[in-house]
Amino acid sequence: MSTDMQIFGTHDHQTLAQLRDVASRAVRVALMADGHVGFTMPIGGVAAYREQVSVVGVGFDIACGNAAIRTNLTADRLGKLEPLADEIADTISFGIGRSNRANDAPTDNALFDEDGWEAVPPKERKALLDKARAQLGTVGSGNHYVDVFADETDTVWVGVHFGSRGFGHTIASGFLALSQGKAWRERAPEREALLDLTAPLGHDYWTLMNLAGRYAYAGREWVARKVMRILGGREKELVHNHHNFAWRETHDGEALIVVRKGATPAFPGQMGFIGGSMGDDAVIVRGTAGDSELQRAALYSTVHGAGRVMSRSAAKTQVTGSMMRGWVAEKGVVLRGGGLDESPHVYRRLPDVLTAQSDTIEIVHTLRPLIVVMAGANEFDPYKD
């Protein structure tokens, strides 16, 4: 198959080899400037198919994404940041397999009554519903976070990054097993599974992937608004995007299924929130006006973050606690949680990857981190992207 391929930025051999492998099955592919090696498909990869969806392309953290709320507050009205950071860490549930501890946890959300749950095997449905109810509005660990920012006008923003938690992970694992002729709970190798959306298995996956998308949106918005209320603010604007998901889209007149694994939709005029690391600025961006050839080649996509340059295992031997603490202290960030494998040292610098995408997006706001809250240093989370 001859596949169109657009690459932003520079990448190592293994990442490019993964992209070429995906291209051998896809109609079109692109790689964003924050790209790095993933499972089967590189993080930062975008792939378009004809009536097929890639289970491992969407990934285990289905509908992982970023949400940011612009508040009516200015940074000088926040008061002391340390107590606010403590209250956020105490109120929001971070870490592996956690349940939402808040007394207003959204366990009665309308999405739990949707017909899409019928696509879960009957014997598995109640357990998955119970897990999903308990975890809605929890953040997880790894690179998932709650941040408080100030923009160039000193306006306060709340930003969050996480996905569909154990619900999405269970869906991905279940359909990966079913695609290989195994039972729902049986462990299956992490290899490509292209599902035909006109077949029952593909139809059911698509139904539950979209349900996981609504679940992730509900969770992120609940957390961001909860933190906003802790700060004493009101919502003025919401910017919200998935980056581990698949969409039905039309490109150059052809209807395609577009999978973005660690890549953010960026159609002309579309807003997005892109985080840096715990010690770097984040940005609010907008897809460039017009409809350029480069935007079309990117399948109207952009980066979802800065992108790793060091593996988690390498970080544990090459980054020290003093290095990480020194970086965030110099930036003036109040940090709660966070491990060495999430230190700024393990990431690219966000301005560099944004420059590589500069003809497809424009920066609307630059967000300076004030508070960063993450799970503790030693937590492993199987539900992270």
Side-chain angles (χ1 to χ4, degrees):
M1 178 186 295
S2 176
T3 302
D4 294 333
M5 186 181 308
Q6 173 66 48
I7 299 172
F8 294 88
T10 57
H11 304 277
D12 60 41
H13 172 77
Q14 192 175 358
T15 302
L16 294 175
Q18 278 195 329
L19 185 70
R20 287 192 293 270
D21 179 59
V22 172
S24 71
R25 295 177 293 274
V27 178
R28 295 170 62 178
V29 299
L31 181 63
M32 304 300 105
D34 60 339
H36 54 94
V37 171
F39 291 116
T40 303
M41 181 174 175
I43 310 299
V46 184
Y49 304 91
R50 295 187 180 99
E51 281 304 300
Q52 290 181 311
V53 63
S54 169
V55 174
V56 291
V58 172
F60 288 92
D61 193 1
I62 297 173
C64 189
N66 295 332
I69 291 177
R70 178 171 62 87
T71 76
N72 65 322
L73 300 172
T74 53
D76 60 351
R77 292 173 57 192
L78 287 180
K80 293 183 179 180
L81 299 182
E82 298 277 350
L84 289 173
D86 291 337
E87 187 173 357
I88 293 168
D90 290 343
T91 303
I92 304 300
S93 298
F94 294 83
I96 178 173
R98 296 291 173 82
S99 296
N100 194 328
R101 303 184 303 259
N103 58 13
D104 57 345
T107 56
D108 60 349
N109 192 288
L111 67 86
F112 294 116
D113 296 320
E114 292 192 22
D115 293 340
W117 292 94
E118 298 297 316
V120 179
K123 291 183 179 180
E124 309 291 342
R125 196 173 299 148
K126 184 182 183 303
L128 186 54
L129 263 166
D130 290 345
K131 178 191 290 185
R133 283 184 190 275
Q135 291 188 346
L136 184 59
T138 65
V139 175
S141 64
N143 60 350
H144 295 161
Y145 58 76
V146 172
D147 287 0
V148 178
F149 301 101
D151 70 12
E152 62 284 342
T153 68
D154 223 28
T155 297
V156 171
W157 293 69
V158 175
V160 301
H161 169 225
F162 61 94
S164 54
R165 308 296 292 123
F167 173 37
H169 190 275
T170 301
I171 297 304
S173 300
F175 279 88
L176 190 63
L178 293 175
S179 72
Q180 297 177 27
K182 299 178 181 291
W184 176 268
R185 288 182 177 270
E186 193 173 353
R187 185 170 179 81
E190 293 159 355
R191 63 180 185 229
E192 183 63 285
L194 285 175
L195 302 184
D196 182 351
L197 296 184
T198 65
L201 190 64
H203 174 272
D204 286 351
Y205 173 79
W206 187 260
T207 296
L208 288 168
M209 181 202 73
N210 279 282
L211 183 57
R214 292 190 289 278
Y215 179 92
Y217 256 59
R220 287 191 291 267
E221 290 176 9
W222 183 87
V223 169
R225 287 170 177 146
K226 184 75 170 178
V227 172
M228 178 187 67
R229 289 192 293 272
I230 290 172
L231 302 179
R234 295 194 309 273
E235 181 176 334
K236 304 294 286 185
E237 179 183 5
L238 172 67
V239 179
H240 202 167
N241 298 96
H242 293 319
H243 51 245
N244 283 5
F245 208 64
W247 293 260
R248 288 187 182 275
E249 298 174 357
T250 299
H251 292 268
D252 295 327
E254 184 175 13
L256 297 170
I257 302 298
V258 179
V259 174
R260 294 183 177 89
K261 184 174 187 177
T264 304
F267 287 86
Q270 184 174 10
M271 303 289 285
F273 163 50
I274 301 172
S277 71
M278 65 171 68
D280 284 324
D281 292 349
V283 290
I284 303 295
V285 300
R286 177 169 51 215
T288 306
D291 190 10
S292 71
E293 182 178 342
L294 193 58
Q295 286 172 292
R296 293 193 298 273
L299 291 160
Y300 301 100
S301 308
T302 192
V303 298
H304 81 305
R308 297 186 73 90
V309 293
M310 190 184 302
S311 70
R312 296 185 184 279
S313 57
K316 292 175 182 177
T317 60
Q318 298 182 38
V319 179
T320 66
S322 61
M323 289 168 61
M324 183 178 79
R325 290 189 296 272
W327 187 306
V328 297
E330 183 176 352
K331 188 74 174 180
V333 176
V334 175
L335 175 66
R336 294 291 181 270
L340 298 181
D341 57 351
E342 288 300 322
S343 173
H345 301 83
V346 310
Y347 285 94
R348 294 182 175 93
R349 305 280 66 81
L350 186 59
D352 295 338
V353 299
L354 293 172
T355 297
Q357 310 267 163
S358 59
D359 292 332
T360 62
I361 54 170
E362 56 183 354
I363 297 173
V364 180
H365 297 290
T366 299
L367 308 181
R368 172 174 54 91
L370 305 175
I371 297 171
V372 174
V373 185
M374 308 177 77
N378 298 317
E379 297 222 43
F380 169 74
D381 187 355
Y383 309 141
K384 69 184 186 308
D385 65 345

